Amino acid sequence: MMFARRLRDGVRDGSITCTVRIWQSPRVKPGGRYPIGGGHVVVDSIREITLDDLTDALARRSGFDDVGDLLDTARHGAGTDVYLIEFHFVAENA
């Protein structure tokens, strides 16, 4: 699971613990471990949501300023299904 460069520090310091992805189908699974510099993220949960479920508060939890900012990053590729992924970061030395 990749994160925009501007989000990586927040993922590592624990201030970002969720992400919204627009995919054709799920690309991660609960319990999955995905590398990111300095460690990896562990997926706690994934659930399908709708664009109507997106709020500015959720966007901020994901490291973005608002829904528009989030969608500018999330909308790429051919995906149409929206997923909310909750995760935590585990440092390499932990």
Side-chain angles (χ1 to χ4, degrees), residues 24-81:
Q24 290 180 329
S25 61
R27 302 283 191 251
V28 298
K29 61 183 179 179
R33 299 163 64 101
Y34 304 92
I36 180 174
H40 54 271
V41 296
V42 177
V43 173
D44 298 317
S45 66
I46 179 172
R47 68 181 173 99
E48 193 166 354
I49 62 174
T50 68
L51 289 175
D52 290 337
D53 293 323
L54 298 178
T55 63
D56 287 341
L58 178 58
R60 286 189 295 277
R61 282 187 53 219
S62 301
F64 295 93
D65 295 332
D66 54 31
V67 172
D69 186 28
L70 183 152
L71 289 174
D72 285 346
T73 298
R75 280 191 169 143
H76 63 278
T80 57
D81 297 334

